[in-house]
Amino acid sequence: MYILASGSPRRRELMKLVVPEFECAVSGCDEFVPKGTAPEKIPELLARQKAQAVAKDRPGDVVIGSDTIVVLDGSVFGKPKTPEEAVSMLRTLSGRTHTVYTGVAVVEHGETRSFVQSTKVEFFVLSDEFIRQYVATGDPLDKAGAYGIQGPGALLVKGLVGDYFNVMGFPVAAVARFLGLVP
């Protein structure tokens, strides 16, 4: 059985594109990133922690963990804790190109394999009024970088280079190939 180590509704929907039947289990693990970890390595490290935590209780299953971050100029933008933090993040990303990194880890037969996928995303220049209107929707508060490309946050994005689904938090084509489900 495939187990998605996530409570994210977006990842759940995207996982259905990879395998139609699976279960979800939230890891509940304490996410720990050692000081000095390179930003592009963080989501892979966290994905491994999540998958391994769930796999302890599901040794016969294939457990898949995932984590996504936004990086600009070496700074990591996770999920904003407050609307004010979301406004600040979006002001910083406005008119600039950032990188979205998604780490994916698979635990099977006690072994952990993982990878990280990156996508470049360019934002339009955003007015303060538009940023505040978007933040007021509540959409950015549970998303890395304070936006979701699959919803109203699509209006922020001028363009991207890479995998659209990676920006949503789960690179479905890469995951399917990593699992050996697609040649």
Side-chain angles (χ1 to χ4, degrees):
M1 170 65 70
Y2 289 100
I3 309 296
L4 178 62
S6 176
S8 164
R10 288 169 301 287
R11 285 198 179 103
R12 189 173 301 135
E13 285 302 311
L14 294 174
M15 181 68 173
K16 289 178 187 175
L17 298 173
V18 178
V19 290
E21 292 187 30
F22 63 95
E23 295 176 12
C24 290
V26 178
S27 73
C29 71
D30 290 329
E31 298 179 6
F32 174 73
V33 178
K35 268 193 167 169
T37 302
E40 64 274 10
K41 297 289 186 187
I42 292 171
E44 185 175 11
L45 175 69
L46 295 176
R48 291 175 73 90
Q49 290 175 14
K50 292 173 185 179
Q52 290 168 345
V54 170
K56 286 179 184 175
D57 297 329
R58 309 293 297 254
D61 295 318
V62 177
V63 180
I64 302 159
S66 185
D67 194 81
T68 302
I69 62 169
V70 168
V71 177
L72 177 67
D73 298 334
S75 294
V76 175
F77 295 72
K79 296 175 184 177
K81 294 175 181 60
T82 64
E84 294 75 25
E85 188 177 4
V87 167
S88 177
M89 284 183 185
L90 293 169
R91 279 184 183 145
T92 302
L93 296 173
S94 174
R96 305 201 48 209
T97 299
H98 59 274
T99 305
V100 176
Y101 293 99
T102 298
V104 176
V106 176
V107 179
E108 185 175 14
H109 306 299
E111 290 187 31
T112 305
R113 301 178 299 127
S114 60
F115 70 93
V116 81
Q117 178 108 6
S118 67
T119 302
K120 299 280 187 190
V121 180
E122 181 182 4
F123 270 15
F124 285 104
V125 173
L126 309 171
S127 70
D128 273 356
E129 179 182 345
F130 182 72
I131 289 172
R132 290 192 183 287
Q133 288 173 352
Y134 174 56
V135 171
T137 69
D139 185 63
L141 297 179
D142 68 339
K143 295 168 182 72
Y147 75 97
I149 195 168
Q150 70 280 7
L155 300 175
L156 313 173
V157 177
K158 186 173 186 179
L160 62 84
V161 176
D163 184 349
Y164 171 83
F165 294 106
N166 188 58
V167 181
M168 285 180 66
F170 199 70
V172 294
V175 171
R177 282 162 178 76
F178 196 69
L179 292 171
L181 302 173
V182 176

